[in-house]
Amino acid sequence: MKTVETRNGTLIIGSREEIFEVKAEQIRAAATTTERDFAAIGLTGGSTPKAWYPWAVEKGVFSKEDLAKIVWLTSDERTVPMTHDDNNFGHAARGMLDPLGVRHTHRLPFASDMPPSDGAVKFNADFKRVFGEGSFDICILGMGDDCHCASIFPGSDLIGKGDTLAELATADNVPSRGWRLTATEWGIGQSRAILQIVTGANKAEALKTVLEGELDPKQYPSQMLAQWSEKVTIIADEAACSALSI
C-alpha cells in the first residue's frame, strides 16, 4: 500500500484485498474505541461494498465481541423497501448481517418505506434513542463520478448549511433521481471518523478534481471533506488514482 496526505485527508492506495482489509480494520477500531455503549457504523452503497459483505463473512473479520459492540446503519438510502435491489441496507443485510446472525437490535436502517420526510425524522429520533447526541463513530462514503458523496449531489441546497442544519440525516428530492435519505453535511462532519472508498478507472477524473482541482464543494460535494481532513481516510485502488499527480 501507498499512503499520501491530501487536502481531503489521508489517501491509502491499495489492491482490492487491501482496501477490504483497511475498511474492516477501521470498523473494528471504531467498535473498540467508542465511548458509547455501541459504535454507530454508517455503511454506504455501491458495487465495492456489495463485494465487501460476503468477503467479510468468508474471512471472519469480525469477532463476536466486535459484533456485540456495533449497531449498523447506512450513511444514505434510497426511498425503496429494504427488499428492493436499490436499497443499501438491504444489501448489507443479505450480504453480511444475516449470514453473521446480527440481531435486529443491532440494525438501525432508514425507514425507507415511509414518506421521505417522515423517514428522516424517524431515523434521527431512533439514533438519539440508541446513541444519544452526536453522529456516526465511522461514516463510510462512496463517491460518484460526479463527485457526490452520501446522497449530496452537485448543486444541492444541503451543501454549506453547516450548523444551520444540525441534524444527522434529512430527506432531499434530487433532480432526475428522486427522493433520497442522507446524512447531512453536519452529520458527516460530526462523525468521529470518515472513510471514503473510491475504486475504478471511471472515478479517476472525479478523484483528481476532488483532491487537486479548484476548491468548489457546491459543484464537487466530496470536497466538503477537506474541512475535516484530520479524521478522513480515503482508500482507493490504482485505477481510481491513475490521474492524480502523485
Side-chain angles (χ1 to χ4, degrees), residues 3-139:
T3 301
V4 181
E5 294 303 322
T6 77
R7 70 184 179 196
N8 265 35
T10 301
L11 171 64
I12 299 174
I13 306 169
S15 66
R16 177 181 181 272
E17 187 80 8
E18 289 168 335
I19 287 171
F20 283 5
E21 289 173 352
V22 170
K23 181 178 178 180
E25 287 169 3
Q26 291 226 349
I27 293 173
R28 288 195 300 266
T32 56
T33 60
T34 186
E35 296 180 355
R36 301 186 286 205
D37 291 340
F38 304 104
I41 306 300
L43 300 168
T44 188
S47 58
T48 301
K50 289 176 188 177
W52 181 79
Y53 297 137
W55 176 89
V57 174
E58 180 184 351
K59 296 291 186 179
V61 296
F62 299 118
S63 67
K64 290 182 179 179
E65 291 76 17
D66 293 330
L67 295 175
K69 285 289 293 182
I70 294 171
V71 173
W72 303 92
L73 311 91
T74 52
S75 56
D76 74 313
E77 192 56 86
R78 301 181 185 189
T79 53
V80 294
M82 202 178 300
T83 54
H84 195 286
D85 190 55
D86 287 338
N87 188 282
N88 292 335
F89 198 92
H91 281 287
R94 292 186 294 274
M96 183 177 71
L97 305 184
D98 291 346
L100 291 179
V102 172
R103 293 177 292 175
H104 284 272
T105 53
H106 285 247
R107 308 182 190 197
L108 198 65
F110 281 98
S112 57
D113 53 353
M114 296 176 68
S117 294
D118 293 343
V121 169
K122 185 178 187 305
F123 184 84
N124 287 326
D126 287 344
F127 189 94
K128 288 181 180 179
R129 172 178 54 80
V130 176
F131 300 103
E133 300 300 322
S135 184
F136 303 105
D137 284 271
I138 180 167
C139 181

Side-chain angles (χ1 to χ4, degrees), residues 75-76 110 136 139 150 152 158 168-170 181-185 187-188:
S75 56
D76 74 313
F110 281 98
F136 303 105
C139 181
I152 303 177
L158 299 177
L168 175 59
T170 191
L181 294 157
T182 183
T184 64
E185 182 177 2
I188 295 170

Side-chain angles (χ1 to χ4, degrees), residues 8 19 23 42-49 53 74-76 88 139-153 182 188 194-199 203 206-207 210 220-225 232-236:
N8 265 35
I19 287 171
K23 181 178 178 180
L43 300 168
T44 188
S47 58
T48 301
Y53 297 137
T74 52
S75 56
D76 74 313
N88 292 335
C139 181
I140 303 173
L141 303 167
M143 187 182 76
D145 54 14
D146 61 356
C147 305
H148 83 265
C149 62
S151 280
I152 303 177
F153 290 85
T182 183
I188 295 170
I194 302 165
L195 177 65
Q196 187 170 45
I197 303 168
V198 187
T199 60
K203 304 291 178 66
L207 188 59
V210 167
Y220 312 114
S222 286
Q223 289 182 343
M224 74 172 68
L225 302 186
V232 175
T233 303
I234 306 154
I235 47 177

